[in-house]
Amino acid sequence: MTTPTVGICLMKSDEADATITHLRDQSPDLRVEDHVTYFRVMNEADIRIDLREVSAYLGRELAMSSFLVTLSAYFGQIDVDDSVLTISPV
């Protein structure tokens, strides 16, 4: 298996659960590790999180400012706008 080039850590929460479901639906080949209090998500390519889509899984609106509290760490190049967060290889 190729070494992941990008990744994120999400503190466990309803927001993290909805994000993981969204990401797995988009890219079933993502690696997701459960570390009891947080999830680590890794990939060889971009990880793109569209909060408009995550909000549909969550059942309520999720603002970027609230999501960023759940995002505890990342590796790769981060790009954030109003509703989409992308982690790309450096």
Side-chain angles (χ1 to χ4, degrees), residues 4-8 43 45-46 73-79 86-90:
T5 57
V6 298
I8 59 174
N43 201 21
D46 289 359
Y74 67 89
F75 57 96
Q77 179 73 35
I78 191 169
D79 181 47
T86 305
I87 306 289
S88 304
V90 176

Side-chain angles (χ1 to χ4, degrees), residues 10 20-21 24 26 30 43 45-47 59 77-78 83 87:
L10 300 173
I20 296 297
T21 301
R24 282 185 168 154
Q26 274 192 342
L30 283 174
N43 201 21
D46 289 359
I47 295 175
Q77 179 73 35
I78 191 169
S83 60
I87 306 289

Side-chain angles (χ1 to χ4, degrees), residues 51 62-71 80-83 85:
L51 295 186
L62 178 58
M64 185 61 73
S65 58
S66 296
F67 177 75
L68 290 174
V69 173
T70 304
L71 179 68
V80 179
D81 70 21
D82 288 340
S83 60
L85 180 141

Side-chain angles (χ1 to χ4, degrees), residues 36-68:
V36 184
T37 60
Y38 70 95
F39 295 108
R40 180 182 296 175
V41 181
M42 296 168 287
N43 201 21
E44 288 76 34
D46 289 359
I47 295 175
R48 183 178 182 278
I49 302 168
D50 186 328
L51 295 186
R52 294 167 295 206
E53 295 176 19
V54 173
S55 293
Y57 288 93
L58 188 57
R60 62 176 167 78
E61 187 175 335
L62 178 58
M64 185 61 73
S65 58
S66 296
F67 177 75
L68 290 174

